[in-house]
Amino acid sequence: MKYEAVKNFVNGEFKTSASKRSLNVISPLDGNKLSEVPMSMAVDLDEAVKAASAVFPYWSKTPIKERVQVFFRYKSLLEKNLPQLAQLCSEENGKTIGESVAEIEKCIELTEFACSLPQLTTGELLEVSRGVECRTERVPLGVVASIVPFNFPSMVPNWTIPNAIALGNCMILKPSEKVPLSAGRLAELLKEAGLPDGVFNIVHGDVEIVEAICDHPGIMAVSFVGSTKVAKIVYQRATSHYKRCLALGGAKNHLVVLPDAIPGMTAQNVAASMSGCAGQRCMAASAMVGVGDVDHIIDKICDEAKKIIPGENLGAVISEDSKQRIERFITEAEEQGAKILVDGRNAIVKGKEGGTYVGPTVIDHVSPGMSVATEEIFGPVISIIRTKTVDEAIQIENANPYGNAASVFTQNGGMARYVIERSSAGMIGVNVGVPVPREPFSFGGWNESKFGVGDITGKSSIEFWTKLKKTTVKWNAESGINWMS
Ligand code: NAD
């Protein structure tokens, strides 16, 4: 075991869970055991909520300009520790070092946004009648929770940590049990940056702890990022206790490729989108709908895919289960008559035989009803569906229940606009394979990719992490009494 056993982080200290149950943390890169993670119990959560509740009055009353000073320092610490954080991210998640560096760089960008929050939360004031003023201000909710998935061990926690905490909340983070190590380093850096003990806490675990978070009366809001199946459970359970909840789910992102698209650029974008982070991104291209004659573009996509080598510029998928599941989808598509143009099954990386790798896979002539065309695969696989018209392509894209992202590849602006207007997805790209909105724009899909109102990052997150206080003030007797005040 490379690292010591993972502990919870409560009131500024690492703490052993009351639970005797734990899981192994395995590196997908080579199958080696990295650590063990406790499957905490409700009593561990309760302790963390108590610590967070105790410090909330102090933290929420600390002026926001003071609160963000912690995040200016945290940003510098992320920069200083970037190589080590990226190394840890790669080890526990299986992504390449380059992808891990990009993940930490994104954490820095997210923190920069949080540092700008005083500028975005100034409130409003207006004299609404003679001598009478109305004023609005944003106030924090209290103790909030953030439940996160395995695919971005640092970035997804940082979608919520800087904004929620800079806005005055205290937080309980529940990391994915598959990648629990990075969160501990983030806690250490927050402490080093001067965050008071108890403002940020980590409780590790699985279903039991997620349920306890949804049920705990001391937690005011829950943000969740993960699969749609669990997003629905969490959204229902948390809101049934009258908590505010934003639950981001899975995705099946379609790229509509028109024959006039620039072949080289399109091929590079499609290949990078489907294979980046081994296809384990909620923004990954999973289906490509080729309209008309796009054979010349598909040839180039295959050329690009063949340059993507497992263990070199392609990381591992999270587990053996996941590898087998992805390969089953490919085999099923083949059996149903689809054509495998580039086959990533049975990938082995020399010297890392225990790693869980799937090579880039391009499947052509997929029909819209095949499971490879409808299910979220979460591997480096692109399914190509052929259509005659752009309307047919849009209809296929909108028929899937998700709505995270979609892209169109064309040089015709009018055509791009036509697709944008008709796509039922929250994040749309034009000639962009991974249309992630960058700060200050907010991140969030539609349909079964998100439950709740608003988005999780950017300006939209301000609404989620705060409530609006409205104050009406009369300053002197001359104001008199009128019909409103
Ligand atoms: P997951 O849903 O299995 O797990 C997410 C979290 O929920 C984890 O912390 C896990 O411990 C917990 N959990 C798992 N099963 C649970 C259950 N039955 N009850 C309560 N809690 C449970 O997701 P994952 O496999 O870690 O991550 C991959 C998924 O996340 C993909 O579907 C991907 O699309 C999605 N994702 C979505 C976004 C987005 O922005 N929409 C971003 C990243 C990942």
Side-chain angles (χ1 to χ4, degrees):
M1 187 157 108
K2 180 166 180 187
Y3 300 102
E4 61 182 54
V6 173
K7 290 183 177 168
N8 292 334
F9 187 77
V10 178
N11 209 15
E13 302 293 336
F14 286 102
K15 200 158 186 289
T16 305
S17 160
S19 165
K20 296 278 167 287
R21 196 163 65 92
S22 65
L23 293 179
N24 290 336
V25 182
I26 305 294
S27 175
L29 294 174
D30 51 18
N32 288 338
K33 181 171 169 179
L34 292 174
S35 183
E36 284 167 6
V37 58
M39 295 297 101
S40 308
M41 302 188 303
V43 53
D44 297 306
L45 176 71
D46 198 46
E47 199 185 333
V49 174
K50 281 201 177 93
S53 305
V55 73
F56 177 70
Y58 165 75
W59 184 243
S60 58
K61 288 286 169 250
T62 302
I64 188 166
K65 274 172 161 287
E66 265 180 56
R67 291 196 301 249
V68 297
Q69 297 312 312
V70 171
F71 289 97
F72 279 108
R73 292 189 290 269
Y74 176 62
K75 173 183 175 280
S76 300
L77 289 169
L78 289 173
E79 285 164 346
K80 192 172 137 199
N81 290 278
L82 194 149
Q84 298 87 335
L85 288 164
Q87 177 66 32
L88 192 57
C89 176
S90 172
E91 278 181 322
E92 66 175 340
N93 172 276
K95 60 183 77 177
T96 66
I97 286 290
E99 289 163 347
S100 303
V101 167
E103 174 162 351
I104 308 305
E105 285 171 347
K106 180 67 195 177
C107 297
I108 293 166
E109 183 175 62
L110 289 157
T111 307
E112 279 170 4
F113 175 77
C115 292
S116 77
L117 281 168
Q119 276 55 255
L120 297 171
T121 50
T122 49
E124 294 178 322
L125 188 144
L126 183 74
E127 185 182 46
V128 289
S129 61
R130 271 179 211 288
V132 178
E133 289 171 358
C134 278
R135 159 188 166 170
T136 60
E137 64 196 299
R138 296 232 150 245
V139 298
L141 304 175
V143 180
V144 299
S146 175
I147 303 164
V148 292
F150 78 80
N151 62 333
F152 285 95
S154 280
M155 182 190 77
V156 175
N158 277 293
W159 278 358
T160 58
I161 297 168
N163 291 356
I165 294 180
L167 288 165
N169 299 288
C170 297
M171 177 176 275
I172 315 290
L173 179 76
K174 206 302 276 175
S176 164
E177 61 277 30
K178 294 173 186 152
V179 294
L181 294 163
S182 295
R185 273 305 284 147
L186 299 180
E188 285 174 334
L189 297 184
L190 285 164
K191 185 165 170 131
E192 194 180 337
L195 192 69
D197 292 348
V199 176
F200 177 69
N201 306 274
I202 302 172
V203 182
H204 293 281
D206 57 6
V207 183
E208 187 178 337
I209 215 70
V210 171
E211 290 179 351
I213 286 172
C214 294
D215 297 348
H216 200 293
I219 295 177
M220 299 299 131
V222 177
S223 80
F224 171 88
V225 181
S227 61
T228 291
K229 184 178 138 231
V230 183
K232 284 181 175 173
I233 296 170
V234 167
Y235 188 78
Q236 279 193 331
R237 193 157 178 151
T239 55
S240 79
H241 291 284
Y242 310 107
K243 292 184 203 313
R244 196 176 278 202
C245 184
L246 186 60
L248 274 62
K252 183 79 187 176
N253 305 313
H254 287 62
L255 307 181
V256 174
V257 176
L258 303 180
D260 73 329
I262 300 169
M265 184 181 81
T266 304
Q268 281 171 1
N269 271 270
V270 173
S273 178
M274 68 99 159
S275 67
C277 299
Q280 300 174 119
R281 287 187 287 194
C282 64
M283 295 296 281
S286 186
M288 170 183 143
V289 192
V291 181
D293 183 8
V294 291
D295 285 351
H296 58 298
I297 300 175
I298 293 172
D299 287 347
K300 283 207 179 320
I301 292 172
C302 292
D303 293 344
E304 290 296 328
K306 286 172 192 158
K307 296 180 200 161
I308 300 167
I309 314 293
E312 289 180 21
N313 53 356
L314 178 64
V317 297
I318 191 69
S319 64
E320 184 58 34
D321 278 357
S322 179
K323 175 180 159 77
Q324 285 179 15
R325 182 177 170 275
I326 297 162
E327 295 192 346
R328 265 200 310 276
F329 275 116
I330 303 169
T331 303
E332 220 173 274
E334 189 176 41
E335 285 166 0
Q336 290 167 348
K339 199 166 166 208
I340 316 291
L341 301 181
V342 180
D343 191 349
R345 285 171 291 185
N346 306 314
I348 304 259
V349 173
K350 247 184 149 189
K352 293 181 177 174
E353 285 75 8
T356 42
Y357 295 87
V358 178
T361 301
V362 182
I363 314 177
D364 198 3
H365 298 291
V366 168
S367 60
M370 290 180 187
S371 57
V372 81
T374 57
E375 302 280 321
E376 177 175 40
I377 295 171
F378 234 48
V381 179
I382 189 94
S383 303
I384 303 174
I385 303 165
R386 308 284 195 126
T387 66
K388 290 202 172 67
T389 67
V390 73
D391 287 322
E392 235 183 301
I394 295 166
Q395 192 268 327
I396 289 168
E397 183 212 319
N398 289 346
N400 93 87
Y402 300 104
N404 219 36
S407 281
V408 53
F409 287 80
T410 179
Q411 294 184 69
N412 181 329
M415 220 25 161
R417 187 79 216 160
Y418 187 87
V419 177
I420 293 168
E421 282 177 3
R422 287 160 183 77
S423 284
S424 182
M427 295 172 278
I428 311 268
V430 176
N431 299 320
V432 173
V434 186
V436 174
R438 290 182 63 173
E439 277 50 40
F441 298 98
S442 59
F443 185 99
W446 287 358
N447 310 329
E448 299 232 327
S449 292
K450 192 191 69 190
F451 305 92
V453 178
D455 288 329
I456 200 162
T457 63
K459 289 183 192 169
S460 187
S461 73
I462 298 169
E463 300 246 346
F464 184 71
W465 296 120
T466 59
K467 50 193 176 186
L468 202 59
K469 180 171 274 186
K470 288 76 60 180
T471 308
T472 303
V473 181
K474 191 180 284 179
W475 290 113
N476 49 46
E478 290 85 79
S479 306
I481 300 268
N482 68 21
W483 62 277
M484 280 299 286
S485 52

